[in-house]
Amino acid sequence: MNLRELASGIQHVGIPTDDIEKTISFYTGLGFETALRTKNKVTNEPVAFLRLKNLTIETYENRAAARRPGAIDHIALDVADIDKTFRAAKEEGYSLLDNEVRFLPFWEHGVRFFTIEGPNAEKIEFSQMLRGDADV
C-alpha cells in the first residue's frame, strides 16, 4: 500500500500565533467554534482547535508567528493507521522531519503523528486521532 492510499482527507491546518485569545476571537467571529482547548505540555504552549463545518484550525501560542503571507505552519492529513503510513513514507523516500511516530495527549485519547517536508519546505503532518487503548 502506498502513502497516497492511506490519507483520507485534511484533518487540520496549523497556524502559530503570538496571541491565542485574539486568534480565537477572530476565528469565532467568522463562525468557527472552539472544539478543544488544551496545552502542549512538551512546549508549554496553549493550543486551540477551532472548527467550522469540515475545516479545523489548530492554533498554538508559540510567540514565533511569522506574521506574513505564507505563514501557515502545516497541514495535517487524516489517516487510520499511522504506523503503516509512517512505513510507507519511509519506503517511498519522503523527507521525514520526525524519526518516529510521535504522540500528543490531545482530544479524548490522544493523537499519533509524524511530519514530512514538501518541495517548498512546507510541513505535511500525517495524524491519527486515537479512539481508545487499541490504537496506542
Side-chain angles (χ1 to χ4, degrees):
M1 182 163 279
N2 66 35
L3 198 57
R4 170 184 199 150
E5 298 168 342
L6 296 169
S8 62
I10 191 160
Q11 187 182 88
H12 66 264
V13 175
I15 302 176
T17 181
D18 293 333
D19 184 338
I20 199 159
E21 298 304 330
K22 185 176 180 180
T23 300
I24 291 169
S25 178
F26 175 83
Y27 282 100
T28 55
L30 296 177
F32 284 77
E33 295 181 0
T34 302
L36 175 71
R37 287 197 71 164
T38 188
K39 182 171 264 196
N40 183 336
K41 293 177 184 170
V42 174
T43 59
N44 199 34
E45 296 169 357
V47 178
F49 286 86
L50 310 170
R51 191 172 290 144
L52 176 65
K53 298 183 183 177
N54 65 341
L55 174 60
T56 302
I57 292 172
E58 173 195 18
T59 186
Y60 41 95
E61 189 176 284
N62 65 359
R63 304 225 178 256
R67 306 185 64 77
R68 61 175 164 65
I72 291 173
D73 181 65
H74 66 276
I75 62 166
L77 301 177
D78 196 32
V79 300
D81 187 332
I82 194 69
D83 296 311
K84 184 185 285 187
T85 305
F86 186 72
R87 284 191 303 275
K90 284 175 68 171
E91 290 169 5
E92 293 175 32
Y94 286 94
S95 178
L96 296 167
L97 297 177
D98 295 306
N99 295 326
E100 60 188 9
V101 175
R102 298 169 52 198
F103 172 83
L104 280 170
F106 294 171
W107 305 102
E108 185 177 356
H109 299 288
V111 295
R112 295 183 67 219
F113 68 97
F114 71 93
T115 309
I116 65 172
E117 183 175 60
N120 305 295
E122 69 271 25
K123 293 188 280 186
I124 298 93
E125 175 184 307
F126 294 87
S127 183
Q128 179 183 2
M129 290 178 74
L130 304 179
R131 308 281 183 238
D133 293 337
D135 291 320
V136 179

